[in-house]
Amino acid sequence: MKYVRTSGSVAGTCPAASPPGFALHPDELPDGLVVADAAGRVTCFNTAAARITGVRPADAVGRALETALPLEDLDGRRWWSLTDPYGGLATRTGQPERNLLLPGGRQVLVSARYVRERAGGPVVRVVVQLRGTEARRRTERSHAELIATVAHELRSPLTSVKGFTATLLAKWERFTDDQKRLMLETVDADADRVTRLIAELLDISRIDSGRLEVRRQPVDIAAAVRRHVATYTRAGLRPERFEIKVAESLPALWADPDKIDQVLGNLLENAVRHGEGTVTIEVSPARTKAHAEGTAVTVSDEGPGIPEESMARVFTRFWRGSKRGGTGLGLYIVKGIIEAHGGTITVGRAARGGAQFRFTLPVGAPAFLTQA
């Protein structure tokens, strides 16, 4: 890679392996780039590196690498003296990314590549990448918030389970059969709550790591909707609270039935718990973003709806809207499941003022069914 000083800044071009005519200026890189030559003098110090370190490129270019970019590890040791990029074993290729300190104690993520013209030869160039720690800190805060939320949500049901079981074991003979049944039913419900929370955590882990598996089978989504509504009416809700609209001809849908049940259950629970009036579920043919054949499901209510300024955050972790309760993870998981199927989900305002969630799934038929 060649670098040329131009009017106080540094310009660069991609190596020969790049497409012909393709040029990249170092200042266009999103991460900090610092390059030192065979003598250890800085030849490139891009805009991102200046932003991260607070050092002007003009003050860095031409200086020794350890002077232009003084770094220390978390134990206070000078990094370039410790790693000695131009000396040591001739088989070294660089340094993996690690957290180091700039003057003043500000943290920065640093990785380095030692460039040699031939294997075992001297280092002719040291290429250093710098990244800020803001993204990592946001991830760490998100993980900390997840742990705190889970701990809070687990404490209540486990306290209840422990209390009732300890009471029953200590004073079994003092309770009537009806009292025992009530306590055991409470324990059973709290155990289900813990199980659901653990399942949510496993889903989040799979979604974040891209390992959420979709086991496609034929799915009668209209029947699935009716089954969920029947569960609510058996639990005591009036049948008039729900309106189901199913188009006459729906394409055959191949999806993971358990995960689609999870999506429907979550959206209906949100509509019942947070919405008001009639909950309307519409199932109809649709076209996906790729203009492929698909099925759309729309769940609407007549409640206050979701404020316009909050709609962009509905599918993020821990969003709970105006009413507290729950982990705030359900819609994040719903979005992950829909996208794992190759579908999309949106939120908006229903015709009668409430919230409206609409997801579209591609038909997803196996290859052997689509072949002529």
Side-chain angles (χ1 to χ4, degrees), residues 106 119 139 210 246-247 264 305 339 363 365:
R106 191 153 58 91
T139 300
V246 180
L264 291 173
E339 291 180 347
V363 169

Side-chain angles (χ1 to χ4, degrees), residues 26 33 64 67-68 82 88 98 112 117 138 156 158 175 183 192 204 239 262 305 324 335:
L33 175 68
T67 304
L82 185 67
R98 63 192 64 208
E117 291 183 343
R138 284 195 298 270
S156 177
L158 289 178
F175 296 108
M183 291 184 183
D192 287 341
I204 287 175
Q262 190 175 351
R324 305 295 292 178
K335 184 174 185 288

Side-chain angles (χ1 to χ4, degrees), residues 44-326:
C44 174
F45 201 92
N46 74 348
T47 301
R51 184 189 71 247
I52 294 170
T53 63
V55 176
R56 294 190 308 160
D59 294 336
V61 173
R63 299 176 68 189
L65 178 59
E66 63 269 22
T67 304
L69 188 63
L71 295 168
E72 294 182 351
D73 66 12
L74 300 183
D75 295 324
R77 296 174 294 184
R78 297 180 64 84
W79 182 243
W80 299 117
S81 300
L82 185 67
T83 57
D84 188 15
Y86 293 93
L89 295 174
T91 56
R92 295 188 305 167
T93 59
Q95 293 288 336
E97 186 175 74
R98 63 192 64 208
N99 205 357
L100 298 177
L101 299 177
L102 292 167
R106 191 153 58 91
Q107 296 185 0
V108 61
L109 298 173
V110 181
S111 58
R113 175 75 181 274
Y114 304 158
V115 181
R116 306 173 191 271
E117 291 183 343
R118 55 183 175 80
V123 173
V124 296
R125 189 162 53 249
V126 174
V127 181
V128 182
Q129 176 182 271
L130 305 175
R131 292 197 301 131
T133 59
E134 293 81 5
R136 176 172 290 186
R137 287 177 179 174
R138 284 195 298 270
T139 300
E140 291 173 350
R141 284 197 298 269
S142 178
H143 288 165
E145 189 173 357
L146 178 61
I147 292 170
T149 299
V150 170
H152 175 76
E153 291 294 325
L154 283 174
R155 180 179 301 168
S156 177
L158 289 178
T159 299
S160 172
V161 168
K162 178 62 178 175
F164 278 121
T165 53
T167 301
L168 286 171
L169 288 171
K171 303 176 181 180
W172 180 267
E173 297 81 4
R174 300 186 186 182
F175 296 108
T176 66
D177 288 344
D178 288 341
Q179 290 172 326
K180 293 174 183 176
R181 176 177 293 277
L182 178 61
M183 291 184 183
L184 290 173
E185 287 175 347
T186 304
V187 168
D188 184 63
D190 284 333
D192 287 341
R193 183 176 164 188
V194 171
T195 301
R196 284 195 301 271
L197 180 58
I198 293 172
E200 285 184 348
L201 292 176
L202 291 174
D203 285 336
I204 287 175
S205 173
R206 295 185 183 109
I207 290 169
D208 288 348
S209 62
R211 294 185 293 106
L212 186 67
E213 294 185 4
V214 174
R215 303 181 185 276
R216 296 185 185 272
Q217 302 175 33
V219 173
D220 186 341
I221 197 161
V225 168
R226 294 188 180 98
R227 186 172 63 251
H228 279 274
V229 169
T231 300
Y232 280 103
T233 56
R234 284 196 301 269
L237 290 182
R238 295 178 294 103
E240 301 80 36
R241 178 80 192 274
F242 301 93
E243 183 179 1
I244 302 174
K245 299 178 180 179
V246 180
E248 292 184 359
S249 57
L250 293 173
L253 175 66
W254 284 69
D256 189 315
D258 293 334
K259 290 182 172 56
I260 297 304
D261 270 345
Q262 190 175 351
V263 169
L264 291 173
N266 197 295
L267 294 182
L268 284 173
E269 182 181 0
N270 278 345
V272 170
R273 177 183 295 179
H274 303 293
E276 298 172 3
T278 301
V279 176
T280 304
I281 308 100
E282 300 178 65
V283 184
S284 60
R287 289 285 171 179
T288 66
K289 280 189 174 181
H291 304 291
E293 189 178 24
T295 300
V297 178
T298 306
V299 179
S300 310
D301 63 69
E302 299 175 353
I306 298 169
E308 193 73 29
E309 63 272 14
S310 298
M311 287 187 180
R313 298 184 286 111
V314 164
F315 297 108
T316 59
R317 289 184 184 182
F318 311 119
W319 185 84
R320 297 184 180 91
S322 58
K323 296 182 180 179
R324 305 295 292 178

